[in-house]
């Protein structure tokens, strides 16, 4: 399951999609909207995507995870639109015969998704300001190739 | 040659639209297209916003050449997840 959705994320379905009798471990990672970072309050995150490329890139990550790790099944779903604190923005599920590979693969997937997939968040703060999040050390052509 | 460039996030805000048509030489490199884009939309240059380029869903370097019919996108560093 590889998808970008504008509806609340059915992470149970994402997790179920990777269950398999040849797997002994399933790892589900959820990215959620954090309300407090230090002294800063986030009231809303708006996610936008270059959908065509984001889906293609997510598909490539899925293919790559099978080359790098011993994985049975893998699903990635990212949500776009406006999200409130606590809501789920991304769900990644991996199944493997044994747990070390499942943990490693899931970690690699979220780390790499955050570097490479063309999705952006716009943060709404408690003081009323709004700003796109464009980290300087992420999403470079070098790290994406 | 006229090339459509899709813009996203803060790049879209700075240019004021989600797709811009850039006038450039025939079969430009991405680097040359970027300069033409900045000439037409100086706020993108002035902002100092780092920009990435993609052609047909793949990240490209400045020396990649663009052909007619390619889908070109330009956007700031990503922040999904």
């Amino acid at each position: 399951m590889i998808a970008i959705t504008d509806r609340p994320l059915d992470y149970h379905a994402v997790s179920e999609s990777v269950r398999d009798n040849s797997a002994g471990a399933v790892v589900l990672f959820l990215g959620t909207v954090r309300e407090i970072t230090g002294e800063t309050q986030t009231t809303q995150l708006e996610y936008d995507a270059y959908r065509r490329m984001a889906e293609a890139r997510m598909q490539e990550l899925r293919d790559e995870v099978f080359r790098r790790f011993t994985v049975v099944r893998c699903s990635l779903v990212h949500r776009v639109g406006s999200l409130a604190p606590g809501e789920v923005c991304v769900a990644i599920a991996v199944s493997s015969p044994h747990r070390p590979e499942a943990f490693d693969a899931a970690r690699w997937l979220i780390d790499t998704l955050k570097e490479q997939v063309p999705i952006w968040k716009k943060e709404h703060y408690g003081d009323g300001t709004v700003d796109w999040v464009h980290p300087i050390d992420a999403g470079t052509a070098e790290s994406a190739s | 040659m006229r090339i459509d460039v899709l813009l996203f996030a803060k790049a879209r805000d700075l240019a004021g639209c989600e797709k811009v048509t850039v006038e450039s030489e025939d079969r430009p490199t991405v680097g040359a297209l970027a300069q033409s884009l900045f000439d037409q939309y100086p706020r993108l240059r002035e902002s100092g916003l780092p920009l990435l380029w993609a052609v047909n869903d793949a990240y490209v370097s400045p020396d990649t050449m663009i052909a007619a019919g390619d889908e070109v996108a330009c956007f700031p560093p990503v922040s999904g997840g």
Side-chain angles (χ1 to χ4, degrees):
Chain A
M1 183 191 283
I2 303 290
I4 294 178
T5 179
D6 45 21
R7 310 178 78 172
L9 239 162
D10 184 351
Y11 47 87
H12 182 257
V14 176
S15 180
E16 288 297 287
S17 72
V18 304
R19 296 261 308 278
D20 190 281
N21 287 352
S22 60
V26 173
V27 170
L28 172 68
F29 171 84
L30 299 181
T32 58
V33 178
R34 185 177 60 248
E35 184 175 15
I36 304 291
T37 304
E39 306 206 342
T40 305
Q41 183 197 19
T42 298
T43 57
Q44 185 189 149
L45 286 184
E46 280 181 75
Y47 282 94
D48 190 22
Y50 177 13
R51 282 182 101 125
R52 194 182 98 160
M53 183 176 169
E55 284 171 359
R57 204 74 199 172
M58 285 162 69
Q59 191 66 244
E60 284 164 22
L61 292 190
R62 182 200 168 275
D63 294 345
E64 179 74 17
V65 88
F66 283 97
R67 289 191 284 270
R68 288 177 174 252
F69 304 95
T70 307
V71 165
V72 175
R73 289 181 161 190
C74 169
S75 290
L76 296 85
V77 181
H78 202 298
R79 184 178 169 192
V80 293
S82 293
L83 277 70
E87 291 201 88
V88 177
C89 70
V90 62
I92 292 174
V94 176
S95 62
S96 295
H98 303 284
R99 66 187 184 282
E101 290 279 276
F103 280 117
D104 289 348
R107 177 161 209 141
W108 181 85
L109 279 166
I110 184 59
D111 286 353
T112 312
L113 181 148
K114 286 172 76 71
E115 282 178 9
Q116 296 187 9
V117 176
I119 297 175
W120 302 269
K121 57 178 162 251
K122 186 193 272 187
E123 196 153 4
H124 293 241
Y125 297 103
D127 64 1
T129 56
V130 179
D131 230 341
W132 285 104
V133 176
H134 292 313
I136 315 170
D137 58 347
T140 64
E142 290 76 36
S143 68
S145 59
Chain B
M1 187 174 175
R2 303 175 106 167
I3 298 172
D4 287 341
V5 178
L6 301 175
L7 298 173
F8 294 89
K10 189 144 192 187
R12 177 184 289 184
D13 290 352
L14 287 168
C17 45
E18 60 186 49
K19 184 166 78 168
V20 300
T21 302
V22 182
E23 295 275 0
S24 86
E25 65 205 44
D26 276 351
R27 288 180 58 80
T29 61
V30 167
L33 185 66
Q35 292 309 309
S36 300
L37 176 69
F38 291 154
D39 289 344
Q40 277 179 238
Y41 296 91
R43 287 181 72 195
L44 283 169
R45 180 188 275 128
E46 288 152 14
S47 71
L49 183 67
L51 291 171
L52 305 168
W53 289 81
V55 175
N56 300 331
D57 300 335
Y59 287 104
V60 292
S61 59
D63 56 2
T64 303
M65 287 184 71
I66 296 168
D70 281 345
E71 174 158 307
V72 183
C74 175
F75 46 78
V78 303
S79 54

